[in-house]
Amino acid sequence: MAKVLMKGNEAVGAAAIKAGCKYFFGYPITPQNEVPEYMSKELPKIGGSFVQAESEVAAINMVYGAAGAGVRVMTSSSSPGIALKQEGISYIAGAELPCVIVNMMRGGPGLGSIQSSQSDYFQATRGGGNGDYRTLVYAPANVQELVDYTMKAFDMADYYRNPVLVLGDGMIGQMMEPIEFKETEKMDLPEKDWATTGTKGARKPNIVNSLRLQAPELEALNQKIEAKYMEMEEKEVIYESYKLEDAEIVFVAYGTVSRITKNAIDLLEQEGIKAGLIRPITLWPFPNKAFAEIPATAKALMSVEMSQGGQMIDDVKIANEGRLPIGFYGRSGGMVPAPQAIVEAAKELLGGVK
Amino acid sequence: MLNEKVVCAGFGGQGVMSMGKLLTYAGMIEDKQVSWLPSYGPEMRGGTANCAVMVSDTLIGSPIIEKDATTVIAMNLPSLIKFEEELVPGGKLFINSSLIERKAQRDDIEVYYVPANEIAVSLGTGKAANMVMLGAYLEVTKTVKSETVIEAFKKVFGPTKAHLVPLNENALLKGAEAVK
C-alpha cells in the first residue's frame, strides 16, 4: 500500500478503525484533540459510534460498558485526563475486559502545560488505580510505530482480556510522518463468549463485574490475572538495541526522546566516544533482558527522559541489578532535551567514572 | 547528502503550515525521509505560526530544530526576529520583503529577499505568497522538484481545489524566477 502523510493523532484513529475499533468515547484535551476529532468524523461512516462524554470519568466508564458487550473500543486523552480515568482502568482490568487507551503525554503535575512530556511513566507502568493490576504499555517513537502498535494493542487486549495503553506524547501526536497501513497476520483469538450480548433465552446470563466480596474468590481472580501478567512478561517484551557493540556508555530512552538520543549518539561518535541505546518499546513489561546485551566495554548507563529527576530510571536500576553506575538527564514541563545537552551530560558522567 | 532542516514561519493565514506540509509531502513522494512538526503552543493563539520540516536522505532523529536550521523562510517580521538566530552558519534565509522592511542581521548566512505578496498579487491573489516563497526556496536548494510539489498539492487538497493548480504552478515558477 502507498505511503500517506499523517499527523500522529489522526494516524492513531485510522489505525484503530483499521483494527476493527467501532466505538470511541472521549473528552477533549490538548495535545490529542485530533484523535476524537478524527473518530467523530470517521466512525459514523462505518456504522460505529463516537460519543463526547461529559467528563473523562464518564468516557472510561462508557469504554467499560462497550468492552463488556464484546466490541473493540478505544479512548484517548492526555496526562491529567488519563489521571481521571484510572479508576475505570482498574475496574476494566478487574472485570477482565479488553480496551485500548491512548495517552499523548503533556507536562505535569496538575493541569501542567500542553507541551510534550514523559512524566506519566509511573502512571502508565504502575497505574494510578487500585489493586493488583497491570496494563501492557507500548511506547512508539515515530508515527509508523504509533500505527503498528495501536493495531497490535487491540489484538493484545482481546487476547489477554486486559486494557492496553499506547503511550505517546504531544510531539508524536502533533507531528506528521509518512506511514503505511501494513497488512498484518490475523491473530487467532478466542470467541468472546463472556460478553453481555443478551442470552436470547439460550444460555445463562454473563455477568461483568469487578466486585468479589468473598476473599477466596477474589484471591483466585487475582491469581488468574497474575498468570496473564506473567505470560506477558515472558512473551510480550519488545525493545530495540542500537549500536551497543563496544559502547562505553549506554543510554536508555523511549519514545520521542529515543530519537533525540540517537542524534546525541551520532555526535558522540564524531568525538570518538562510543555510545549505544536500549530503547524499551514495551514499558511494561520492561525489557530487563535487554540489559544482558550490554557489552563489557560499558562504563555507565544513562536514563534520558522528559521528566524531572526521572521515572523510568527506577526500572533501569532494577534491570541493571547494581552492576553499572547510572546517570540521568532530563527536561520537564514541556522542555525537550537537545542532542548537544545529552552529549555534555554523557561526557560529564563518563569523566566521573573513568 | 540531503539533510534539510527548514523552518517555515509567519502569521496565521499566510499558509506557512501548508507550505511546510507540501514540502514534506513532496519529499515523501520522492522517497526521502521526512517529518513535519507544527508549533502548537499558546503562541498560536497570538497569531504567529511555524513548522519544522525535515527532508533527508537518512533516518530522521529529532524532528525539532534547535539552532540547526539549514533554511528559514520568514513570512513576517516577528518570524524573522525569532528564527534568524536558529540558522547554522552558511544557512539560507528567505525573507518576504513585501511585508518585512528590515534586512538580515547576520553576515554568515545566505539571504534572499523575495517580494512574495507583490508577486502573488500580480498572479491574481495574495494568498499564493506562500507558494511564491516555496518556489524561491526550491530554486535555490533543489530539495525536491517543483513538479513533485504540484503532485503533492493535488493529493493534499484533492479534486475540489484542482482549479487552483495552474495558479500554484505559476506561483512556484515566479518565485523561482525571483531568485535566479
Side-chain angles (χ1 to χ4, degrees):
Chain A
M1 213 181 138
K3 284 191 171 175
V4 287
L5 190 65
M6 265 182 125
K7 223 177 192 193
N9 284 336
E10 290 171 344
V12 166
I17 289 174
K18 180 101 175 129
C21 173
K22 286 183 80 176
Y23 300 90
F24 183 97
F25 308 98
Y27 188 80
I29 183 170
T30 307
Q32 62 82 56
N33 283 323
E34 294 86 354
V35 185
E37 184 189 7
Y38 184 90
M39 297 309 252
S40 68
K41 197 170 62 190
E42 297 299 325
L43 280 176
K45 293 183 192 166
I46 57 157
S49 285
F50 165 89
V51 177
Q52 180 171 316
E54 68 272 33
S55 71
E56 285 87 350
V57 178
I60 193 68
N61 282 294
M62 290 175 189
V63 169
Y64 185 9
V71 296
R72 286 199 158 177
V73 57
M74 182 167 92
T75 186
S76 68
S77 192
S78 180
S79 307
I82 297 289
L84 287 164
K85 291 183 202 277
Q86 295 299 320
E87 177 193 63
I89 296 170
S90 165
Y91 278 46
I92 295 167
E96 289 195 276
L97 295 176
C99 70
V100 174
I101 300 147
V102 177
N103 181 4
M104 294 298 178
M105 289 182 280
R106 59 186 247 176
L111 273 179
S113 75
I114 62 173
Q115 305 291 340
S116 260
S117 152
Q118 293 183 326
S119 51
D120 301 345
Y121 184 93
F122 288 154
Q123 186 197 59
T125 61
R126 271 59 176 172
N130 62 301
D132 291 322
Y133 79 99
R134 296 284 194 176
T135 51
L136 189 56
V137 184
Y138 291 117
N142 54 54
V143 181
Q144 181 66 59
E145 281 190 358
L146 189 58
V147 165
D148 296 345
Y149 287 107
T150 299
M151 292 175 72
K152 190 179 170 68
F154 281 95
D155 279 346
M156 287 296 121
D158 277 350
Y159 179 77
Y160 287 106
R161 289 178 59 187
N162 199 74
V164 177
L165 192 67
V166 178
L167 192 68
D169 60 57
M171 194 184 303
I172 202 169
Q174 292 296 323
M175 73 188 288
M176 285 205 290
E177 280 185 322
I179 50 164
E180 212 175 342
F181 291 94
K182 300 166 200 159
E183 287 306 325
T184 48
E185 237 175 88
K186 277 255 177 309
M187 204 180 157
D188 201 14
L189 294 164
E191 282 294 309
K192 294 181 173 177
D193 53 9
W194 43 263
T196 53
T197 51
T199 65
K200 297 173 189 77
R203 60 162 170 81
K204 278 191 178 169
N206 286 334
I207 296 167
V208 169
N209 192 4
S210 71
L211 181 68
R212 303 280 191 286
L213 283 176
Q214 299 298 327
E217 206 190 318
L218 180 57
E219 189 181 45
L221 174 75
N222 282 332
Q223 284 165 348
K224 185 181 165 211
I225 293 177
E226 172 62 11
K228 296 196 292 191
Y229 298 148
M230 284 166 73
E231 188 181 340
M232 289 182 206
E233 284 183 301
E234 197 188 309
K235 290 190 194 163
E236 308 306 341
V237 169
I238 308 173
Y239 63 94
E240 179 197 3
S241 33
Y242 178 77
K243 294 193 174 174
L244 281 188
E245 204 182 326
D246 300 333
E248 287 174 66
I249 180 163
V250 175
F251 294 108
V252 188
Y254 69 95
T256 295
V257 173
S258 69
R259 302 170 65 127
I260 301 165
T261 305
K262 283 182 181 175
N263 287 150
I265 290 170
D266 290 344
L267 291 173
L268 283 163
E269 206 172 351
Q270 287 166 21
E271 295 187 37
I273 299 169
K274 287 194 169 165
L277 169 72
I278 290 172
R279 172 168 79 95
I281 297 173
T282 50
L283 299 185
W284 195 90
F286 192 74
N288 291 318
K289 63 181 176 191
F291 289 71
E293 292 174 27
I294 293 171
T297 48
K299 298 191 188 86
L301 303 179
M302 177 174 269
S303 189
V304 189
E305 307 171 46
M306 283 194 285
S307 149
Q308 197 67 47
Q311 298 191 2
M312 180 178 66
I313 191 171
D314 286 14
D315 279 335
V316 174
K317 284 176 185 166
I318 293 169
N320 180 48
E321 292 178 340
R323 284 174 291 209
L324 290 165
I326 301 172
F328 173 78
Y329 182 75
R331 299 294 302 271
S332 72
M335 300 300 291
V336 179
Q340 195 57 45
I342 299 172
V343 165
E344 297 309 322
K347 286 201 281 196
E348 198 186 320
L349 178 66
L350 280 175
V353 296
K354 255 173 190 166
Chain B
M1 202 175 65
L2 186 68
N3 190 11
E4 274 289 284
K5 300 180 175 192
V6 186
V7 175
C8 304
F11 54 72
Q14 280 186 307
V16 293
M17 296 307 201
S18 299
M19 188 194 330
K21 211 181 278 186
L22 289 173
L23 176 60
T24 313
Y25 211 110
M28 179 181 79
I29 293 173
E30 292 190 6
D31 237 5
K32 297 173 165 83
Q33 302 285 332
V34 295
S35 70
W36 176 92
L37 182 71
S39 63
Y40 71 95
E43 73 269 20
M44 271 177 98
R45 281 153 217 177
T48 63
N50 71 80
C51 60
V53 175
M54 309 269 174
V55 185
S56 173
D57 284 332
T58 54
L59 211 64
I60 293 160
S62 170
I64 304 167
I65 291 174
E66 209 171 302
K67 306 266 184 240
D68 61 352
T70 57
T71 295
V72 167
I73 301 175
M75 295 298 285
N76 67 354
L77 183 61
S79 302
L80 174 64
I81 293 167
K82 187 169 176 192
F83 292 108
E84 183 174 358
E85 60 182 49
E86 294 290 320
L87 278 164
V88 291
K92 297 175 179 70
L93 175 60
F94 293 81
I95 295 177
N96 177 10
S97 57
S98 299
L99 300 185
I100 307 171
E101 285 176 14
R102 208 184 87 169
K103 299 288 171 205
Q105 307 286 299
R106 285 169 62 174
D107 53 12
D108 62 340
I109 52 174
E110 287 176 35
V111 187
Y112 301 88
Y113 296 94
V114 183
N117 287 71
E118 279 144 342
I119 294 173
V121 167
S122 77
L123 296 173
T125 170
K127 283 183 188 165
N130 59 342
M131 294 300 271
V132 172
M133 282 307 250
L134 188 55
Y137 163 76
L138 292 178
E139 175 64 25
V140 173
T141 63
K142 315 280 186 215
T143 303
V144 293
K145 297 194 191 79
S146 61
E147 301 90 82
T148 319
V149 172
I150 292 299
E151 198 184 327
F153 181 91
K154 289 175 185 163
K155 290 204 164 129
V156 171
F157 295 103
T160 57
K161 296 278 157 57
H163 62 285
L164 295 174
V165 168
L167 169 70
N168 282 282
E169 278 172 333
N170 237 338
L172 288 173
L173 194 72
K174 294 288 174 197
E177 281 172 7
V179 291
K180 259 179 192 164

